Structures are given as C-alpha cells and as structure tokens.
Amino acid sequence: MLNKYFFGAGLLLALQACNQAPQHPTVTVHKEQVVCNQYIGNGVEWDAYPHADSKSAEWGDLMNNPAKWDTLYARLDRMQPQFIRMMDQANWRYYMGLNRHKKAVLNFNTPEIKTLFKLLDYCQSRNITVVMGEWGTPHHMHDIENKKDKLKAADDPRWSKMIAQYLDFLINKKGYSCIKYYNLVNEPNGDWASTLGDFDLWKRGVKQLHKELKAKGLDDKIQISGPGTVPQYSYPKYKSQYEGKDWVKMSVDSLNDELGAYEIHAYMPTMIVREGKAAKDVFWKEAIAQTHKTGKPFLIGELGLKDNFGPFHEKNIARAKKDAFTSPEDSQMAIYDYQYGVDMADAVVQFMNAGCAGTIAWALDDAMHTMGDKGDKTKLKRWGFWNILGTEIENSPKDEQIRPWFYPWSWACKYFPAHTEILKVDVPAIKGLRITAGTKEDKYSVMAVNNSEEIQTVTVQIDGLKSSPQLKKLTYTREQATAEKAKISTEQVSVSAQGGLSVTLPAKSVVVMTNMNK
C-alpha cells in the first residue's frame, strides 16, 4: 500500500516551434472556446462518521481522536478538493423526536453536531463549496424501527421547517458560509429512496423547503440542488409516466424558481468508461440541453464505477466476500487497484469536456458508512481512498494508508481550481485517449488519460497562446504506483507559444501538465 505522495512528476517536454507539420496526432486546446464557465471544481463525499461520532454511536466515539483528524486534514490539503458533499440524517444529528403535540424537538448542541463541525471548520477555512443534505425523511430511510418519531413524507411541513432552522443555525449563527447548496432526499427516483420514485412528492418537498428558507432569509445564502437522481433507473410504478432520465427536464420545467443548481449521480459500468461513453450512459447530452437554458450549473453529485453483472461484477463480489469487513452488496473493491485511478480520471475528464460544473467522487473514507447504515463492522461500504479507522475496526493499520486512486483524483481537484474555465479540446480518435484543459488567470492545466494498452504520443497545441509559461508534468503509471519509495521529481521548462508540446503517454496512465497551484 502507498505511504507517500509520489507518482512521477517529471518535466514538461519543451514545446518545439517549427514550420513542419507535427509528426504525431495533434490535440488542439481552443483558448477562446469555453465549455464551462460556471466551474465549481471537483471534490469528494465526506460524511460525518455517523457510527463513530459520539459515545452513543454504534462504534462509540472513535473519531474523538485528534490524530485522526490531523491525518484527514493533511491528506485533504494535498488533494485540495474544491467541492465537498456532506449527506446526513436529521435523526443522527439534531432531531430528537416528536413531543406529545407531534411537534419536532431539535437540539443543535449534540456531540454528533460537534463532530460535524470538524468537517465544516475545515471547509470554511479552505473556502470549499459545500453541498449538504439528508438521505431521506427521518425514520423512513434509517432507524425505521422508530415509528413514534417518524415524519410523514418528503412534503411533511415539519421536516422543511426543521431543515430551515438547522441551516439558519449553521449559516447565520455559526457562520458556515461555505454551505452553498442543499440536497433534499438522495436519489429520489430510486426504490431505495424515501420518496419511492414519486416526482410529485419530491417536488412538493422542494417547494416547501424553498419557502421555509426564504422565510428565514436564507434564500440568498444557500440554494437547493437537485434532483440528484440515477438517470439509468426508472421506478416501475411511474415508468408509464416518466423515466429516470426525465427527472432533470421535469425539474427544469417545474422547479427552476426553487433550484439553484442541477445535479445527477453517475455510476457507470467499467467498460462504458473505458470506451469513452460515460456521459452518454447517463443521458448527459439530453439533460445539459435542458439545464443550459437556465444558466445554472449542472453537477455530478456522486461518481463511481459500478458493474451490476458480467466479469467485473463477479470479480468484485468474489473479492468482497473474501474480506471479513466488507459489504458485497455495496462496495467497489477496485479502489485498492492502480487501474481504478485511471478509470476515475477517465470518467471525470469525459464529464468535464461535456460541460460539467463539478464532480463529487464517492467516497472519501470507508469508515463513513455500512450497509443500511446499521453500524455492522462486517459490512463496510468500501468506496474510499482509505479507512481512517482501519486499526480500530479491522485491526489493520495498513488499511488506513492512502490508496492509489487518491493521486490522479487529487490532480483533478487541485489543478482545476474553482472558477477555472474549462476549454474545448479537439482530441484525435485514438482508442482510450481523453484530454481536458482549463485556464484561470493566464495559467493552464491539461489532463490526459491514456486508458489503452499502448503507448501514445501526441502533440498538444494551445490556440492563441501568447506567453511562454513554465509548466510541470506529473505522471501516474503502474510502475510508479507499485514502487515502494518513488519520489516526485520536478523540473521547470519554458513552453514556446508558437510550437506544440510532444507528450508521450504511457499505457494505462494519467498525465497532468500545469502551472496552477504550484
């Protein structure tokens, strides 16, 4: 397992200006053609450790450990996420139940809220955009055995009022201005959601929440994002009326006054990503045509690779079953593999080129969730960059170490900071080759993925480049990922504004060329 942030970072090869035609296929970055000018940035799901956030939690207060937080903060500082999603449940954090008058009893001074502050303090201090939300209606999604405190549904006015009170406390009282968006119900089109795929129910809930936020004077400080659906899934009960892919259009048509950003979740099969079809798989082209006319950002609220059948699925299930602490039903064991870093980079590059304003990787840490969130240590949802409680839960300090995919994902975050203009890139039709580029304040980043088995060499040209910037090149390859003591080597070169940059991309690699965030 990897202990240090290595991965070879050599020098950008010098741009060579010449009058001859390039010997290699040309990649053209169009400096004046912007595909996304509302870019929030890439980031990660970071939830507040509901099984380990207090003495009364299933695992006790395991996160009451300053060393754990120091490690998390240091790693996040290396990643530099621009965008963080925090999903929660009112009954985990601040909802105490109903009194005898059936009114909600709230407590904003719980140990669980104090754990949440550790996440929000970090995001506030680093100016990270946060989207918060709740998985579903209290006691519909989690702790469902508690019938007496169960709220009615997503449109229960008590829920929207308590959410508004909670956000008023966090934003106005505590000063967490980093919280910019709010999700009401996770993946509401699913049969696993508290809305059970009912668009009209979810719509009524959104309208009520917007009304309550406005009443609190919060509507200019935080906006609702949605629908946060899985477009490939259609709930059978409503399939004759609408499908999963239709939720974005329906949201634009009926909720544009209430929504400040649009969002879907993207879980694609491995080969769909490797074939360059990630955006197509989630009906991105159709959806962004709808959101574009609103002038509001379109986001990926969760991103991951998931195979529901076939050889990748079978291998994943077999690996999970061999791990005594893993839920085979909801884990991605490829997180331990070098290749997952290439695949996730490939996916995010495809979405950036398609106009996505920000993508959240699912997820930061295996210690955040278990199957059904019941706290069963033998059913961890393994999707993370590490398990920060590996020693405590598994007696495995090794599992606390950083996994390889952390590194290319970090580059997608830190080298494409918020407010970067994502540029149009013409990429030759080479199998497995995906390239994106961005500019901010006359600085540039280019991220290239070679998700093929062959070495590729291309010439990168930036139209209209007038200066000669100094860039560095970082390379993620299998050889470097498996080396125990590899180190980053850096060297600066002058890039000619007139020529092209000849770049060799090793097989199954990710390469970043940048002068951002030195």
Side-chain angles (χ1 to χ4, degrees):
M1 198 57 66
L2 308 175
N3 293 314
K4 296 182 179 179
Y5 181 62
F6 48 84
F7 301 115
L11 273 235
L12 257 186
L13 302 176
L15 283 178
Q16 305 202 352
C18 59
N19 295 322
Q20 301 176 2
Q23 295 180 351
H24 305 293
T26 299
V27 173
T28 303
V29 178
H30 297 280
K31 184 175 178 290
E32 304 302 325
Q33 297 185 43
V34 178
V35 299
C36 181
N37 59 4
Q38 297 177 309
Y39 189 67
I40 294 170
N42 299 316
V44 67
E45 180 92 17
W46 188 21
D47 298 333
Y49 302 94
H51 304 312
D53 57 2
S54 68
K55 291 181 179 179
S56 61
E58 292 92 345
W59 304 342
D61 58 347
L62 292 181
M63 288 306 294
N64 185 19
N65 183 337
K68 298 291 185 183
W69 293 103
D70 288 345
T71 298
L72 287 169
Y73 295 160
R75 291 176 179 181
L76 285 164
D77 279 346
R78 288 156 65 180
M79 178 188 287
Q80 295 183 32
Q82 309 295 301
F83 187 26
I84 283 180
R85 183 173 183 253
M86 297 178 190
M87 292 298 285
D88 214 339
Q89 197 66 58
N91 38 293
W92 291 348
R93 206 69 46 187
Y94 66 93
Y95 172 50
M96 302 294 104
L98 298 173
N99 64 19
R100 63 189 180 90
H101 302 293
K102 299 298 181 182
K103 292 185 177 180
V105 178
L106 311 181
N107 182 356
F108 299 149
N109 192 36
T110 65
E112 292 83 0
I113 281 186
K114 291 175 182 177
T115 298
L116 176 68
F117 290 165
K118 295 181 185 296
L119 282 68
L120 290 172
D121 286 344
Y122 178 85
C123 294
Q124 184 71 25
S125 67
R126 271 66 169 185
N127 197 30
I128 297 170
T129 296
V130 172
V131 54
M132 290 190 71
E134 293 191 27
W135 296 111
T137 310
H139 299 295
H140 282 253
M141 280 295 297
H142 301 99
D143 308 317
I144 59 175
E145 65 282 354
N146 183 345
K147 306 296 184 183
K148 69 180 182 68
D149 296 319
K150 183 178 181 179
L151 299 186
K152 291 179 180 179
D155 61 350
D156 190 325
R158 293 172 294 185
W159 193 28
S160 55
K161 285 181 182 295
M162 57 194 254
I163 291 171
Q165 286 180 253
Y166 185 45
L167 292 174
D168 179 56
F169 167 73
L170 292 175
I171 297 172
N172 288 332
K173 305 278 192 314
K174 295 295 294 182
Y176 290 121
S177 58
C178 59
I179 306 171
K180 299 296 186 184
Y181 297 101
Y182 193 86
N183 285 161
L184 185 76
V185 183
N186 183 64
E187 298 172 355
N189 67 315
D191 62 2
W192 54 89
S194 64
T195 46
L196 293 175
D198 187 338
F199 178 81
D200 288 332
L201 173 60
W202 177 75
K203 179 176 73 172
R204 290 195 299 271
V206 170
K207 284 183 174 291
Q208 283 192 172
L209 178 57
H210 183 264
K211 179 182 177 181
E212 295 296 337
L213 294 177
K214 193 170 184 179
K216 290 283 186 184
L218 287 166
D219 54 315
D220 62 343
K221 297 181 180 179
I222 186 168
Q223 298 175 310
I224 304 171
S225 63
T229 44
V230 178
Q232 305 98 315
Y233 179 83
S234 299
Y235 194 84
K237 180 178 179 180
Y238 301 105
K239 196 169 183 179
S240 63
Q241 302 174 49
Y242 48 79
E243 299 183 9
K245 63 183 178 66
D246 298 325
W247 277 61
V248 171
K249 182 180 186 304
M250 293 191 299
S251 298
V252 170
D253 290 344
S254 61
L255 287 170
N256 192 49
D257 289 341
E258 288 79 19
L259 296 177
Y262 292 91
E263 174 202 343
I264 60 170
H265 293 181
Y267 288 94
M268 298 81 52
T270 302
M271 289 309 300
I272 288 291
V273 171
R274 294 182 187 178
E275 292 169 0
K277 300 176 181 177
K280 182 178 180 181
D281 193 61
V282 296
F283 308 98
W284 184 268
K285 185 176 180 180
E286 298 92 323
I288 201 168
Q290 298 296 321
T291 65
H292 183 72
K293 61 188 181 184
T294 71
K296 297 174 182 178
F298 192 19
L299 309 166
I300 299 289
E302 293 182 19
L303 176 70
L305 271 63
K306 187 173 185 179
D307 293 271
N308 293 317
F309 55 86
F312 288 102
H313 169 73
E314 293 166 6
K315 181 180 179 182
N316 186 58
I317 295 296
R319 290 179 71 179
K321 286 182 176 179
K322 290 179 181 178
D323 188 321
F325 299 93
T326 296
S327 165
E329 299 91 341
D330 194 350
S331 291
Q332 174 53 277
M333 301 305 287
I335 55 173
Y336 289 101
D337 303 337
Y338 161 82
Q339 178 61 35
Y340 197 67
V342 178
D343 290 334
M344 285 292 281
D346 194 347
V348 77
V349 166
Q350 291 178 49
F351 282 115
M352 290 168 71
N353 285 341
C356 184
T359 298
I360 296 290
W362 180 270
L364 184 76
D365 195 334
D366 295 352
M368 298 189 309
H369 295 290
T370 58
M371 191 63 195
D373 278 317
K374 297 181 182 299
D376 186 343
K377 294 180 181 179
T378 68
K379 292 189 177 293
L380 298 178
K381 287 189 176 185
R382 289 205 189 273
W383 287 88
F385 296 112
W386 52 72
N387 175 7
I388 200 65
L389 296 175
T391 300
E392 292 80 1
I393 296 173
E394 310 173 58
N395 194 29
S396 175
K398 184 179 180 181
D399 214 31
E400 297 183 21
Q401 296 174 2
I402 292 172
R403 297 166 189 158
W405 74 287
F406 171 85
Y407 300 100
W409 191 262
S410 295
W411 301 344
C413 295
K414 71 190 296 183
Y415 295 124
F416 292 86
H419 310 299
T420 293
E421 291 183 331
I422 306 302
L423 304 175
K424 185 178 185 298
V425 182
D426 292 336
V427 181
I430 298 173
K431 181 180 179 181
L433 179 64
R434 257 75 68 179
I435 299 177
T436 194
T439 183
K440 181 180 180 181
E441 298 172 352
D442 292 325
K443 294 185 179 180
Y444 295 89
S445 285
V446 177
M447 189 170 193
V449 177
N450 178 13
N451 209 345
S452 76
E453 299 289 350
E454 299 180 1
I455 297 172
Q456 303 290 350
T457 301
V458 296
T459 298
V460 177
Q461 294 181 330
I462 303 177
D463 281 354
L465 188 65
K466 296 179 180 179
S467 61
S468 297
Q470 299 285 312
L471 303 179
K472 65 180 177 181
K473 176 184 173 187
L474 300 92
T475 304
Y476 176 77
T477 66
R478 189 179 306 276
E479 292 74 21
Q480 293 161 335
T482 55
E484 291 185 5
K485 295 184 179 180
K487 296 181 180 179
I488 292 178
S489 59
T490 60
E491 185 179 349
Q492 301 298 320
V493 297
S494 178
V495 180
S496 167
Q498 288 76 35
L501 171 62
S502 179
V503 184
T504 297
L505 308 171
K508 297 291 184 179
S509 69
V510 181
V511 173
V512 169
M513 296 154 282
T514 184
N515 60 354
M516 291 200 202
N517 284 334
K518 289 186 177 181

